[in-house]
Amino acid sequence: MGKYILEVCVDSAESALAAVSGGADRLELCAGLVIGGITPDVSLYEKVRELTDTRIHVLIRPRYGDFLYTDYEFEIISRSVELYRKLGADGVVVGCLLPDGSLDQERMKRLKSLAGDMNVTLHRAFDMCRDPYRALEQAKETGIGTILTSGQKESCSEGMELLAGLVKSGGGQVDIMAGGGVDAQTIKLLAPATGVTSYHMSGKEVLDSTMTYRKEGVSMGVPGLGEYRIFRTSGQKVREARQALEGLSGAE
């Protein structure tokens, strides 16, 4: 990898291949990207691993919703980290909070230990923390390699001020990776303004299902989303983001 890193979040083999063809440096593998991502099935990981030798970081999130987990949920998270370490994943993406909005450092230390040599990314649970700078210091103390964040805003372009502050405070000990609305134009805007060198995107596009028979009046998922809309990574969007990063490298 060069100075800039492009990570693409994918939840299917098709999206993984599109991301790799577009120039992704690594994949964040999950399931259910439409609900923010949850832990993927082992069979999906194995298929993607068969298809590419690109680095894979696996999202470990047992359910949709907040990041305050019960003991049972944390046990599931812990087992998932161990499982993907044994399967040879390059990293895991995790995050646990306490009721007061602070990082659950005790549990994060436990997960870091279980991860062994894998890279550990603190996911956007960070964006729900009460004090981002305190959470950053806790991440440093825990040995977290990367923090994925939008700067505690809906999109990283809105969170530029905090992103710049985090990069400065991180001091190179933690990689601050911008996520939330990342595309080629966002990269061109953020890089000079924040100093962020790692970017996380889905590059998704909505495809129409090839089903010809369509049952009306029955919902199988999120109401209003539609059963016949498929979310996939666009290789072209990833390629444009890659080109934007290459342009930054060439200008230095």
Side-chain angles (χ1 to χ4, degrees), residues 120-175:
V120 177
T121 296
L122 169 57
H123 59 42
R124 290 188 63 195
F126 178 87
D127 286 328
M128 307 302 287
C129 285
R130 179 188 298 275
D131 183 343
Y133 288 103
R134 174 58 183 149
L136 172 60
E137 291 307 311
Q138 290 177 309
K140 287 182 186 178
E141 294 166 9
T142 307
I144 301 299
T146 304
I147 294 175
L148 171 59
T149 173
S150 64
Q152 296 203 328
K153 298 292 185 181
E154 283 295 312
S155 69
C156 57
S157 57
E158 296 175 273
M160 283 196 300
E161 183 176 351
L162 179 56
L163 285 169
L166 293 169
V167 170
K168 184 176 181 180
S169 296
Q173 292 179 255
V174 180
D175 185 27

Side-chain angles (χ1 to χ4, degrees), residues 60-75:
I60 308 297
R61 186 184 180 208
R63 57 164 171 78
Y64 168 80
D66 66 29
F67 305 103
L68 176 62
Y69 295 114
T70 67
D71 289 342
Y72 293 134
E73 287 173 330
F74 184 67
E75 184 179 346

Side-chain angles (χ1 to χ4, degrees), residues 29 32 89 102 110 116 121 133 141 164 169 204 221 224 229 245 252:
L29 186 66
S102 61
R110 173 62 177 157
T121 296
Y133 288 103
E141 294 166 9
S169 296
K204 61 179 176 292
R229 300 172 70 196
L245 292 175
E252 294 174 351

Side-chain angles (χ1 to χ4, degrees), residues 40-53:
D41 190 82
V42 169
S43 59
L44 175 59
Y45 169 81
E46 290 176 336
K47 175 49 66 176
V48 173
R49 184 75 290 165
E50 287 174 12
L51 294 170
T52 177
D53 59 2

Side-chain angles (χ1 to χ4, degrees), residues 66-110:
D66 66 29
F67 305 103
L68 176 62
Y69 295 114
T70 67
D71 289 342
Y72 293 134
E73 287 173 330
F74 184 67
E75 184 179 346
I76 292 168
I77 291 170
S78 299
R79 290 183 181 185
S80 295
V81 170
E82 289 183 291
L83 173 61
Y84 279 106
R85 176 176 55 79
K86 291 175 182 176
L87 288 171
D90 299 289
V92 287
V93 184
V94 295
C96 302
L97 301 183
L98 294 171
D100 65 358
S102 61
L103 192 66
D104 190 335
Q105 195 169 15
E106 181 179 339
R107 283 182 166 181
M108 291 300 294
K109 286 180 178 178
R110 173 62 177 157

